[in-house]
Structure formats: structure tokens, C-alpha cells
Amino acid sequence: MNTTHVALVQVHADPSRRQPRYQELLDQLNAAALDAVESIPGWSAVLIAADGATETELREAASSADLVVILGGEDVDPVFFGAGDERAQPEAYETLADARQMAVVRDAAEAGRPVLGVCRGHQLINVAFGGTLHQEIGEHRRADHDPYVRTSISTTADLIQDASAGVYCTHHQAVDQLGEGLEVIARAEDGTIEAIAHRELPIVGVQWHPEHPEVARRELAALMQSTLAWAGLRVAETV
């Protein structure tokens, strides 16, 4: 049986650097992502912290995977898209993790390696290709115990399953100006960009959380498989 190995790249692994509730939510999402990978026969995964090893070690771990998934977490430092902090409630950035995760994305682009970005990962992909972000938007998260908003999206991309029932969103930032080579493949009803893909490379980003525990085995598993399938088509087109 062929095996497929996935590198799940998180921001960092030190829980003391986050508020307990925020860390709890990320732990739930990351655990569900691992479970979604391992629920697919022949698939395996490793969870890697961007600042938990050297940059060389991180990039080597990502390059040895069949698919790289950049997971959610803190806001992307606007220094990488030439802006200042315009957030309503400023918090610390993870600038080192930003730089390292974008290096992983650029390595993958050069090698033609499939990448799926989720939430922060989706935004990092756009910034890595020279795009910018809206730093403060409304209506896409809640401030109570359950931060998720069920968001309806529209898409014509085969990469994305039917999302007529809505997807789980919790974000206050979003893609603004698209990075080079990227296109929009899904939007929310208010026009917010909810998914992007590279026109030539197997690189996809979704703003929502397909790794939410209630849907991960269905939504994340399908997205990972469709991203890999798309990568195969891209390779075939260039042979």
C-alpha cells in the first residue's frame, strides 16, 4: 500500500504563551487535524511547531512530506506586507514563526509540493506571494465561549466540497490584495475572501476551519485528498 505523509505545521508548542482558552481551542483543532489524517487508510502525520526546531529542521521536515498543512494561530505580523498594526486589540505577533512558515510555503512552491493553508495558514500563503491582509473585519467570529460563526460560502472550485450548510469560521482578519499567481475560489456572502488557490501550483488556502472536531474527518480529509489529486493533475499538465 502506498503511504502518504502529512506535515501539520503549527505556530508554537509552548502553551504558556497563550491565554488558556485560546490554547484549548487550538489544541482541539490540532488534535482533530491529526485524527483526520490518521482516519485515511495509509496516511500518517507529524505535528511540527514552527519555532520548536531550527529553521533548517522545520524546512527539512516539510520537504520530506507529501503534503504540508499550515494550521491556524496568531495574527500575521503586518511587517511582512508593509503595514503597521491596525488591530482594535493589539496582541503579540509570532514573527519568527511567520518567517519560517512562509519559508516552508516558498520551498513548496519551488518544488511543486502541495500545500494547504488553514485560517492563519491561508493568510500566510497570500502574504508569502506578496499579498496583503485586512487587519480588522467584523461578523466572522464571536467573543463568547463558542467563537465559531457558521458562514455560508459560494464556490465553483472542485477542490471544495458542497458548503451550502456553511463552514466554521472564527477570524477577524482576511485576505485583501491577492498575492502573485493566486486567485479567489470561494467567498462569504458579504464578499470576504474565504479560499484562494494558486493558478499553476498545488497551493490552496481556506479561511475557515475544516479541522473543527465536528467535521474534520469529512471536510479536512476531503480537502487534503483533493489538494493532492490537484497536485497530480498539475504534474501531468507539465510532463
Side-chain angles (χ1 to χ4, degrees):
M1 177 185 292
N2 293 330
T3 60
T4 299
H5 184 60
V6 181
L8 299 170
V9 185
Q10 64 175 330
V11 179
H12 58 72
D14 182 358
S16 69
R17 292 166 64 176
R18 294 190 176 109
Q19 294 295 323
R21 176 56 180 158
Y22 187 52
Q23 182 65 47
E24 179 185 353
L25 289 169
L26 282 179
D27 287 345
Q28 291 171 355
L29 293 170
N30 292 346
L34 278 168
D35 176 72
V37 174
E38 293 169 354
S39 72
I40 306 172
W43 284 46
S44 63
V46 60
L47 183 63
I48 310 167
D51 67 354
T54 67
E55 180 175 339
T56 298
E57 290 170 336
L58 174 67
R59 293 168 75 172
E60 287 179 349
S63 68
S64 67
D66 300 293
L67 170 67
V68 177
V69 179
I70 308 292
L71 296 168
E74 286 77 4
D75 297 332
V76 179
D77 192 330
V79 70
F80 291 109
F81 51 93
D85 190 343
E86 299 172 1
R87 299 172 298 173
Q89 296 180 317
E91 297 179 356
Y93 292 113
E94 294 294 338
T95 306
L96 177 62
D98 291 341
R100 288 181 173 181
Q101 288 179 314
M102 284 191 286
V104 166
V105 171
R106 292 178 181 125
D107 286 348
E110 184 175 347
R113 185 178 307 110
V115 177
L116 173 62
V118 173
C119 196
R120 165 191 165 88
H122 157 84
Q123 296 170 6
L124 274 168
I125 287 171
N126 190 56
V127 175
F129 282 95
T132 66
L133 302 177
H134 292 294
Q135 294 188 52
E136 199 68 60
I137 64 170
E139 308 302 324
H140 286 265
R141 70 172 178 177
R142 288 201 298 260
D144 55 17
H145 183 73
D146 180 0
Y148 299 99
V149 174
R150 201 72 163 152
T151 303
S152 296
I153 65 169
S154 60
T155 178
T156 57
D158 293 337
L159 282 163
I160 299 173
Q161 284 187 318
D162 175 41
S164 58
V167 293
Y168 285 104
C169 282
T170 178
H171 61 97
H172 73 107
Q173 301 199 332
V175 168
D176 183 10
Q177 297 297 315
L178 285 173
E180 185 176 356
L182 300 174
E183 62 183 346
V184 178
I185 60 171
R187 290 183 185 270
E189 290 180 341
D190 65 2
T192 299
I193 295 172
E194 289 287 341
I196 57 176
H198 198 280
R199 294 188 182 92
E200 299 176 356
L201 300 168
I203 297 178
V204 180
V206 297
Q207 182 62 73
W208 66 88
H209 286 282
E211 83 283 29
H212 188 285
E214 291 186 10
V215 299
R217 284 195 172 195
R218 182 177 73 254
E219 290 188 12
L220 181 60
L223 268 171
M224 291 188 297
Q225 290 172 310
S226 60
T227 301
L228 274 180
W230 190 37
L233 290 173
R234 291 300 191 195
V235 171
E237 289 173 357
T238 60
V239 172

